Amino acid sequence: MGVGGAARRSWGAAVLVLQAAWALGGGQVRYSVPEEAEAGTVVGRLAQDLGLEAGEAEARRLRLVARGRRASVEVSGASGALVVSSRLDREELCGKSAPCALRLEVLLDRPLRVFHVEVEITDINDNAPRFPAASKNISVWENSPLNSRFPLEGASDADIGSNAQLSYTLSPSEHFALDVQRGEDYLESLFLVMTKSLDRESLSEHRLVLTASDGGRPALTGTVQLVISVLDANDNAPQFNQSVYKVQLPEDAPEGTLVVRVGATDLDEGINQDFSYSIVSSVPASRRDAFSVDPRTGEIRLRERLDYEDIRICELQIEAKDEGFNPLSGHCKVVVQVLDVNDNAPEVWVTSLSVPVSEDAALGTVVALLSVSDRDSGPNGRVRCAVRPPSPFGLVATFAGSYSLVLREALDRERVSEYEVEVRAEDGGAPPLRAIRGLRVPVSDVNDNAPAFAQAVYTVLARENNAAGAELARLWARDPDEAGNGRVSYSVAEGGAGSGSGSGSGSGSVSGWRPASSYVSVDAESGRLRALRPLDYEELQVLQFEVRAVDAGEPPLCGNATVQLFVVDENDNVPALLPPAGGGSGPWSRGEAAETGWRATSSAAEASSSGSSWSLWARAAWGAPAGQVVAKIRAVDADSGYNAWLRYELREPRGDGPFRVGLYSGEVSTARALEEADGPRQRLLIVVRDHGEPPRSATATLSVSLVEGPEEALAVAGAGTGAVMAGSLGFGSDGSSSGAAAAATAATNVWLVVAICAVSSLLVLAVVLYGAGRWAPRAAVLTGPGPATLVCASEVGSWSYSQRHSRSLCVATDGVGKSDLMVFSPSCPPPPCPAPKETPQDPPALLDTVSDSRQLLAFFSSFSSFVLCSLPIHCFPFSVSGRDVLSVF
């Protein structure tokens, strides 16, 4: 304390103010005062530094606010100065911390203000160095080798800075010296080093003084006495065969594997020669328990599995310590180098994944970023990567361990909508290890497929007289795109029927041209084709139009299909009786009371299906031979096929009458020779019936008057009835066979025979050509981009037809005729429409042969009609199978 009192007296003479700065922004005053300053020492002129006038500090009660323990400074009320009130000990207040400062709060009243004052306490050298103990005992074997080192504990100084910087000195000795080592952060390590061999018999104890001095002015010191006892013990320590053992050990070595066997020897005898092995330390320390050493044999074995990825080199300090009274030990180092084996499979991470991938993505588009690593080293850590399947994706190495999964081939979502990609990583070990990382890469759709119909041409059969709104067919177009790109809407694009339409309407007559949309409609969503109104076969036989399917993509794509709608005939028309050939007024007239009486006597079934009734009169001469044609019934049916195939039946009189009617010709002829007993007049009821289901019929009443001779019958026939010609009765105008009439008849017969032969030959040739074209392979009628559909006869009638064009075999004098030749005409190609994935088809070229046959047949038919009708004879049309041909008499 004497040193401390002298310091206080030296500092009491003058107070050094190191800093008194008033910070206007923060309101803080800083002062500095040395520790151990005497009470009353002025620290600073607080009132003046705060900007107060004289006397204002006392008037406004300038004072300190104490927080916690009592402050060692106070404010002088009169002067407003900050003075020391009690002992300041920096070591007590702050310890080793620097700087040491007191933070105070100063208050002023009227108005109330708060100021912050900071007083820094500076250090003085008032503490001497101190050792932990006044003396220290050290035992040293007499046979300790030179330069043996013994650690010593240093002194401590409570001061800071240069006042705490210590230096050491050792009292003079020929056997020992002091070694001071300075490390980081100015830390010092003291060692007592033996510089000369000891001999306990000459000097068993050495006493040395260790002095510590600080850096103050004046310097203060502290001492410790070292008592060194020389011990007599074992003179020889065990010595290893080698100081360092180096071993290589694979990381997959099992537990219990012998690492190395160390060996040591001791030159002493007896108990001083016996020693044991132990593991003193290891680097790293965490692997000390991974090894064990046999204390007797020195065998070092593995206790735990090693991992090359955690530690690659392990150093073990092995000690061999003898069992003497003063045991000595020898040391060696075992360096275990861990060898890598391929025990780690590669690892694959997906750092970025950009899905879905648009099917129109450009080649080289990056789909994913991958990172690949292997914890092994060398070849075991070199990784090769591949992608499966190899297309349409590939890997591109960006830098070490990083890859990009890129698009190498164009995508098609309609073919593959999602890919399961496997990234396979394989290292270079033996055997190699692999890792697989699966990626799901969906493909997003773009509108690259146009709707496509299953058929290019649809053939639809619709019975006439169908109900309005009836479903005719269902069209379906496939669009492999998805969502809106694959949502298809249907509409009738173009087409129609009529005199101006190119689709052809058969033999039916349609006034003007009508678009297909006036006949049919197609549901925009379902594609159901419906009839807008009842269809009439007699008005429309074939309707060809285009149906368009448009998807909802952007831009929209479309596809077309041709629809050929064939109207199937129904038996909805009764046979119509025709006036006699030649027209004009004659004996034909509508039946009234008489015909009604006849119809009334008919059955109910006939009455329900019968049509009109006509009256016909004719005359025949008594004595006319059997087979003499009296009259011909002419009828036509507006239907087609079997529905228009007419047959004639004699309803009244029943039994063995004098007349009969041709089943299909309608010719009324004598069944036997006419007699007077048959009466003067015969009334015949003839029923004309078609072959439809149910059949429909019409009736004709023929009144035949029996006259005396052929002249009268011929005169009646020449009156212009047109039903029976005078020449057909075989009588002349005067009732006898004159020479002129016979000559005319002979000439007419010659021309008739020649015409019949010529026409027969041409007809046979025409029929052969027609049959060859008709029964040719069906592929010969293929037209347009799709196959044509042939209609079965059981559904339609006697003929197959498609877009029929009709031609008559003979043009009758009254212009009434029905078509007997049905041909196919080419389909109209669909209008162009964007359809990227459709492949156009070439229409077959086999149509020309059939077309030539049809033209040749039409030519022979027209020529035959011209020849027959040009002869100097009369042509009478008659009905066979509902078709008009020639009846020649």
Side-chain angles (χ1 to χ4, degrees):
M1 294 301 297
V3 177
R8 284 193 297 269
R9 285 192 298 271
S10 63
W11 287 98
V15 176
L16 178 62
V17 178
L18 300 179
Q19 180 180 3
W22 166 250
L24 296 178
Q28 181 173 337
V29 181
R30 300 186 63 182
Y31 300 103
S32 178
V33 63
E35 66 171 333
E36 305 295 343
E38 296 181 355
T41 301
V42 176
V43 177
R45 301 179 184 275
L46 182 59
Q48 182 180 351
D49 294 336
L50 294 178
L52 301 180
E53 300 293 337
E56 187 179 359
E58 186 175 6
R60 296 181 62 180
R61 295 184 58 204
L62 179 65
R63 62 191 182 277
L64 293 178
V65 178
R67 291 185 302 177
R69 60 184 180 180
R70 183 178 62 86
S72 300
V73 294
E74 61 183 10
V75 178
S76 175
S79 63
L82 188 64
V83 297
V84 177
S85 62
S86 62
R87 176 175 174 268
L88 292 174
D89 188 357
R90 195 204 64 79
E91 287 75 26
E92 180 183 353
L93 294 175
C94 301
K96 298 290 285 185
S97 299
C100 181
L102 296 177
R103 292 175 177 82
L104 308 173
E105 287 185 357
V106 179
L107 297 182
L108 276 176
D109 294 338
R110 298 187 302 274
L112 181 62
R113 293 189 63 183
V114 179
F115 300 94
H116 297 279
V117 178
E118 183 177 295
V119 179
E120 181 182 0
I121 303 173
T122 59
D123 182 53
I124 63 174
N125 192 20
D126 57 344
N127 292 283
R130 291 186 179 182
F131 285 94
S135 63
K136 179 178 178 58
N137 295 323
I138 302 175
S139 297
V140 180
W141 297 102
E142 62 173 333
N143 56 354
S144 295
L146 295 178
N147 297 323
S148 296
R149 302 166 66 86
F150 306 94
L152 301 175
E153 292 188 31
S156 61
D157 195 321
D159 295 326
I160 61 174
S162 60
N163 295 329
Q165 291 181 359
L166 303 180
S167 59
Y168 297 92
T169 58
L170 184 65
S171 58
S173 173
E174 60 177 344
H175 295 281
F176 297 95
L178 182 64
D179 183 16
V180 180
Q181 294 182 356
R182 297 185 182 275
E184 296 180 358
D185 299 330
Y186 302 101
L187 297 180
E188 296 178 342
S189 299
L190 303 179
F191 294 92
L192 185 63
V193 181
M194 190 176 69
T195 59
K196 185 178 180 180
S197 300
L198 300 177
D199 186 4
R200 183 182 178 278
E201 287 70 25
S202 59
L203 181 62
S204 61
E205 184 177 85
H206 299 264
R207 289 182 178 269
L208 302 176
V209 175
L210 178 62
T211 303
S213 303
D214 60 21
R217 293 290 186 273
L220 301 180
T221 62
T223 60
V224 62
Q225 186 176 25
L226 303 178
V227 179
I228 304 171
S229 301
V230 180
L231 302 179
D232 186 19
N234 195 5
D235 292 341
N236 296 284
Q239 297 293 326
F240 283 91
N241 300 332
Q242 56 190 77
S243 60
V244 178
Y245 292 85
K246 292 185 178 181
V247 182
Q248 292 183 339
L249 189 66
E251 62 174 326
D252 61 345
E255 298 178 5
T257 300
L258 176 63
V259 179
V260 68
R261 175 180 293 179
V262 298
T265 57
D266 196 325
L267 299 178
D268 294 330
E269 294 181 355
I271 194 174
N272 293 330
Q273 190 181 24
D274 298 332
F275 57 88
S276 60
Y277 300 97
S278 64
I279 299 177
V280 178
S281 62
S282 69
V283 178
S286 59
R287 292 300 175 182
R288 179 173 181 177
D289 296 334
F291 301 91
S292 64
V293 60
D294 188 294
R296 296 300 176 188
T297 62
E299 292 182 352
I300 300 177
R301 294 186 178 272
L302 188 64
R303 295 178 58 187
E304 298 176 0
R305 297 289 294 268
L306 300 177
D307 189 358
Y308 176 83
E309 288 67 41
D310 291 340
I311 181 172
R312 302 186 179 185
I313 295 179
C314 183
E315 295 183 0
L316 302 178
Q317 292 289 338
I318 308 299
E319 180 184 62
K321 189 175 184 179
D322 61 24
E323 298 178 0
F325 178 73
N326 296 316
L328 297 178
S329 59
H331 300 84
C332 75
K333 181 168 63 175
V334 177
V335 179
V336 180
Q337 181 181 2
V338 182
L339 300 180
D340 181 46
V341 296
N342 193 23
D343 59 343
N344 291 280
E347 295 180 343
V348 181
W349 295 279
V350 179
T351 58
S352 177
L353 181 63
S354 179
V355 292
V357 181
S358 176
E359 65 176 320
D360 62 348
L363 300 184
T365 299
V366 177
V367 178
L369 297 179
L370 307 173
S371 178
V372 181
S373 65
D374 194 319
R375 296 182 62 194
D376 295 324
S377 62
N380 298 330
R382 286 196 290 268
V383 181
R384 301 183 301 271
C385 289
V387 62
R388 293 289 185 276
S391 60
F393 300 101
L395 287 178
V396 176
T398 54
F399 49 90
S402 295
Y403 294 87
S404 296
L405 182 67
V406 299
L407 186 63
R408 287 186 173 175
E409 296 180 4
L411 300 178
D412 187 0
R413 191 205 63 82
E414 288 70 39
R415 185 172 60 88
V416 180
S417 61
E418 183 176 280
Y419 289 89
E420 292 294 336
V421 180
E422 288 187 354
V423 178
R424 299 185 178 183
E426 179 180 286
D427 59 26
L433 298 180
R434 301 176 180 86
I436 297 177
R437 183 62 182 265
L439 298 177
R440 187 178 67 87
V441 182
V443 182
S444 60
D445 183 53
V446 296
N447 192 25
D448 58 344
N449 291 277
F453 287 91
Q455 301 175 214
V457 178
Y458 287 85
T459 300
V460 180
L461 303 180
R463 293 189 176 274
E464 65 174 329
N465 303 319
N466 60 293
E471 181 178 339
L472 303 178
R474 182 174 182 179
L475 308 180
W476 181 74
R478 178 179 179 271
D479 193 326
D481 295 325
E482 65 178 357
N485 297 332
R487 188 168 59 251
V488 180
S489 59
Y490 303 88
S491 62
V492 176
E494 60 181 46
S499 59
S501 69
S503 61
S505 58
S507 62
S509 62
V510 181
S511 58
W513 185 87
R514 291 183 180 177
S517 58
S518 63
Y519 292 98
V520 294
S521 67
V522 60
D523 187 86
E525 295 183 358
S526 64
R528 298 180 186 274
L529 186 66
R530 300 183 184 275
L532 295 178
R533 60 181 181 176
L535 301 176
D536 186 3
Y537 174 81
E538 287 68 41
E539 176 188 351
L540 176 70
Q541 284 83 46
V542 180
L543 178 64
Q544 178 170 303
F545 54 92
E546 300 289 334
V547 174
R548 176 168 294 176
V550 182
D551 59 27
E554 184 61 36
L557 301 178
C558 69
N560 293 329
T562 301
V563 178
Q564 294 178 343
L565 176 64
F566 295 94
V567 182
V568 180
D569 183 46
E570 293 285 343
N571 193 24
D572 58 344
N573 292 280
V574 298
L577 294 171
L578 299 177
S585 60
W588 291 92
S589 63
R590 281 285 181 183
E592 298 177 359
E595 281 69 23
T596 304
W598 281 99
R599 295 176 64 186
T601 59
S602 61
S603 63
E606 292 175 356
S608 62
S609 61
S610 63
S612 61
S613 177
W614 294 79
S615 294
L616 171 68
W617 63 268
R619 293 190 180 188
W622 287 333
Q628 179 67 54
V629 176
V630 177
K632 175 178 174 58
I633 306 300
R634 300 174 67 251
V636 69
D637 196 320
D639 294 324
S640 177
Y642 278 92
N643 297 328
W645 187 15
L646 302 182
R647 58 185 297 170
Y648 302 85
E649 299 176 359
L650 181 62
R651 181 59 57 87
E652 296 293 343
R654 298 180 181 274
D656 297 333
F659 296 98
R660 63 185 178 186
V661 62
L663 180 62
Y664 297 111
S665 65
E667 294 179 345
V668 180
S669 62
T670 57
R672 54 179 173 79
L674 300 178
E675 301 175 354
E676 293 184 3
D678 294 328
R681 185 178 182 181
Q682 290 286 330
R683 188 169 187 149
L684 307 180
L685 179 63
I686 300 173
V687 178
V688 183
R689 191 188 311 274
D690 60 25
H691 285 71
E693 186 62 36
R696 294 179 179 270
S697 63
T699 60
T701 303
L702 177 63
S703 296
V704 182
S705 298
L706 303 180
V707 295
E708 290 293 336
E711 295 83 358
E712 186 176 355
L714 182 59
V716 173
T721 63
V724 180
M725 298 188 63
S728 67
L729 299 177
F731 295 98
S733 61
D734 58 353
S736 63
S737 303
S738 64
T745 301
T748 301
N749 290 338
V750 171
W751 281 107
L752 180 61
V753 170
V754 173
I756 289 176
C757 293
V759 170
S760 299
S761 301
L762 295 177
L763 183 61
V764 170
L765 180 59
V767 169
V768 171
L769 294 177
Y770 175 72
R774 181 175 180 82
W775 282 280
R778 293 300 182 185
V781 297
L782 292 176
T783 60
T789 302
L790 299 180
V791 184
C792 298
S794 60
E795 296 180 353
V796 178
S798 300
W799 299 271
S800 301
Y801 62 99
S802 173
Q803 288 190 279
R804 217 170 45 178
H805 292 288
S806 305
R807 306 187 188 277
S808 300
L809 291 177
C810 176
V811 180
T813 57
D814 57 358
V816 179
K818 283 185 67 70
S819 61
D820 197 35
L821 177 61
M822 312 301 172
V823 298
F824 288 90
S825 64
S827 301
C828 299
C833 179
K837 293 192 176 181
E838 292 185 356
T839 303
Q841 301 178 359
D842 296 331
L846 299 177
L847 186 63
D848 298 335
T849 303
V850 181
S851 178
D852 295 340
S853 300
R854 290 200 306 266
Q855 295 175 3
L856 184 59
L857 179 59
F859 169 76
F860 284 129
S861 299
S862 302
F863 179 77
S864 301
S865 301
F866 173 79
V867 170
L868 291 178
C869 295
S870 300
L871 291 177
I873 58 175
H874 295 280
C875 297
F876 294 94
F878 66 97
S879 176
V880 177
S881 303
R883 299 292 182 264
D884 291 333
V885 294
L886 287 178
S887 175
V888 182
F889 299 93

